[in-house]
Structure formats: C-alpha cells, structure tokens
C-alpha cells in the first residue's frame, strides 16, 4: 500500500516524502529478481486532496488497486509506483 495522500508531498530533508518513497521502491525493484516474490501495488489517498475533515474521511476510503498480488515484475512495479 503506497501512501499517495497530500501529506506525502511534505518536505523530507532536501526532498519530499513521496520522492523518497519512490526512490526506495525503485531500489527494491532493481535489487529484487523478477518472480522471486509475490507483490501487489495499491495506492492510498491518491484521489482526495481536500484537507478538511470531510476530505480526510473520504480519503480513508480512497484506494486504487494498481497491480494485483502476483509474481514480481520489476518493470510493471516501477510503472505503478
């Protein structure tokens, strides 16, 4: 589950949280042999940007299945992070 909510765009040192996450996940993809594990990708909070209480409530339900659980495919993984 990848947190894609607005808070992930906050600063993390010289970068942002989301950019650091993407960097780390790309490193994982580069170092993990295809088919060696089952991996799925689901985005959380990618469609609701409203910071109000109502937006946060809706955001808690905001998920998108990008890659169903399946043998790891590094290219497909990278396309969906």
């Amino acid at each position: 589950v990848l947190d894609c909510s607005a808070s992930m765009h906050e600063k993390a040192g010289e970068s942002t949280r989301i950019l650091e996450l993407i960097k780390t996940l790309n490193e994982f993809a580069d170092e993990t042999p295809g088919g060696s594990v089952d991996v799925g990708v689901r985005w959380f909070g990618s469609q609701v940007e409203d910071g109000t209480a109502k937006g946060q409530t809706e955001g808690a339900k905001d998920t998108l299945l990008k890659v169903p659980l399946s043998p790891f495919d590094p290219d497909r993984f990278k396309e969906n992070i």
Side-chain angles (χ1 to χ4, degrees), residues 12-49:
E14 296 295 316
S15 188
T16 62
R17 292 176 177 178
I18 194 76
L19 290 177
E20 290 302 308
L21 173 62
I22 290 168
K23 177 181 163 187
T24 300
L25 292 174
N26 275 310
E27 289 171 2
F28 164 80
D30 290 340
E31 296 174 11
T32 305
S36 62
V37 294
D38 288 344
V39 174
V41 177
R42 180 177 289 276
W43 291 359
F44 169 78
S46 65
Q47 298 177 25
V48 176
E49 296 182 23

Side-chain angles (χ1 to χ4, degrees), residues 6 47-57 59:
Q47 298 177 25
V48 176
E49 296 182 23
D50 186 350
T52 66
K54 181 181 178 191
Q56 290 176 357
T57 299

